[in-house]
C-alpha cells in the first residue's frame, strides 16, 4: 500500500475529512488531496505530525510492506468530561456512539484472557475463577464491536483513549479470538 493510500485510510478510520485533517496539520486541503493521490509527499515535519496524530510510525507511513491490520488507532479522550448518562447507559457508550454515528451496529464485548495450561490447572483445581478476576482487575476497560461501512472494528474505551483496530477476520460468531484474548458478544447492543 502506498503512502497516500495509508493516509487516506487512516484519515477515514478517524472519521476526519480532508479539511479537518488539513486544519490539524496547518496545511491546505489541497495538500492532503495531493498526498492521498500520491501526487506529492508530506515533508518530514508533516510525516512526524501524521504519525503522532494517527499514533503510528513514520516507517508505517512510508513503507509499502508493513500490514495495516495490526495498526491500532488511538484518539485521546477524557472520559470524566462526559456527563453521567441516565438509565442503563455508560459514559463509554457515549464515547463510542459519538465517534461512530454512522455505524450499522455497535455491540458490547466481554474480554476474556486465554489461559495457559498451568493457569487452567490452577484455576480448575485451586482457585476457580481467580485468573479471570485478576485479569479484569488489571483491565476493567470497555470493549465494543462496531460494524461500519462493511468493516468490523474492535473498539476499546479507556479513561484517556479510544483505541480502534480494524478486524480482518470473521466476527459473525458469538465469540472470536484475537491475540491472547477471547471476545464474547454480550446481549447489550447500542445500535
Amino acid at each position: 500500500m502506498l503512502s497516500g493510500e495509508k493516509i487516506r485510510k487512516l484519515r477515514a478510520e478517524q472519521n476526519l475529512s480532508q479539511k479537518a485533517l488539513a486544519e490539524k496539520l496547518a496545511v491546505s486541503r489541497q495538500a492532503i488531496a495531493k498526498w492521498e493521490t500520491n501526487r506529492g509527499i508530506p515533508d518530514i515535519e508533516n510525516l512526524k505530525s501524521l504519525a503522532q496524530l494517527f499514533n503510528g510510525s513514520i516507517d508505517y507511513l512510508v513503507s509499502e510492506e508493513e500490514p495495516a491490520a495490526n495498526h491500532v488507532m488511538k484518539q485521546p479522550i477524557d472520559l470524566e468530561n462526559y456527563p453521567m448518562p441516565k438509565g442503563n447507559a455508560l459514559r463509554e457508550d457515549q464515547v463510542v456512539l459519538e465517534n461512530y454515528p454512522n455505524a450499522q451496529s455497535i455491540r458490547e464485548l466481554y474480554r476474556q484472557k486465554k489461559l495457559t495450561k498451568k493457569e487452567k490447572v490452577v484455576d480448575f483445581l485451586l482457585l476457580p475463577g481467580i485468573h479471570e478476576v485478576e485479569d479484569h482487575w488489571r483491565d476493567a476497560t470497555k470493549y465494543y464491536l462496531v460494524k461500519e461501512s462493511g468493516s468490523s472494528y474492535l473498539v476499546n474505551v479507556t479513561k484517556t483513549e479510544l483505541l480502534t483496530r480494524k478486524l480482518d477476520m470473521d466476527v459473525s460468531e458469538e465469540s472470536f479470538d484475537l491475540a491472547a484474548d477471547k471476545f464474547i458478544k454480550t446481549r447489550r447492543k447500542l445500535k
Side-chain angles (χ1 to χ4, degrees), residues 42-100:
D43 63 21
I44 191 67
E45 291 305 314
N46 284 319
L47 281 172
K48 286 180 187 177
S49 296
L50 284 165
Q52 184 177 13
L53 177 67
F54 296 131
N55 199 38
S57 67
I58 294 174
D59 287 343
Y60 170 75
L61 291 171
V62 298
S63 170
E64 294 180 24
E65 297 171 12
E66 188 175 340
N70 296 326
H71 184 72
V72 176
M73 302 291 295
K74 293 183 182 178
Q75 179 180 341
I77 62 166
D78 185 357
L79 194 58
E80 297 301 319
N81 282 344
Y82 285 81
M84 197 59 146
K86 295 179 182 176
N88 222 6
L90 305 169
R91 285 180 174 155
E92 290 90 341
D93 298 348
Q94 291 177 308
V95 172
V96 176
L97 288 167
E98 181 180 293
N99 283 275
Y100 294 94

Side-chain angles (χ1 to χ4, degrees), residues 144-159:
Y144 300 86
L145 178 63
V146 176
K147 293 190 178 185
E148 182 178 69
S149 303
S151 296
S152 297
Y153 300 92
L154 175 64
V155 177
N156 178 214
V157 181
T158 72
K159 289 182 180 181

Side-chain angles (χ1 to χ4, degrees), residues 5 14 28 35 59 65 70 75 99 107 115 119 123 125 127 130-131 136 139 146 150 155 163 168 171 179-180 182 190:
E5 295 167 350
Q14 287 285 323
S28 69
W35 300 343
D59 287 343
E65 297 171 12
N70 296 326
Q75 179 180 341
N99 283 275
R107 193 156 176 192
L115 301 177
E119 289 171 330
D123 199 64
L125 295 175
L127 301 165
I130 189 67
H131 291 294
H136 284 284
D139 178 11
V146 176
V155 177
L163 307 168
D168 294 331
V171 291
K182 179 176 188 169
L190 306 184

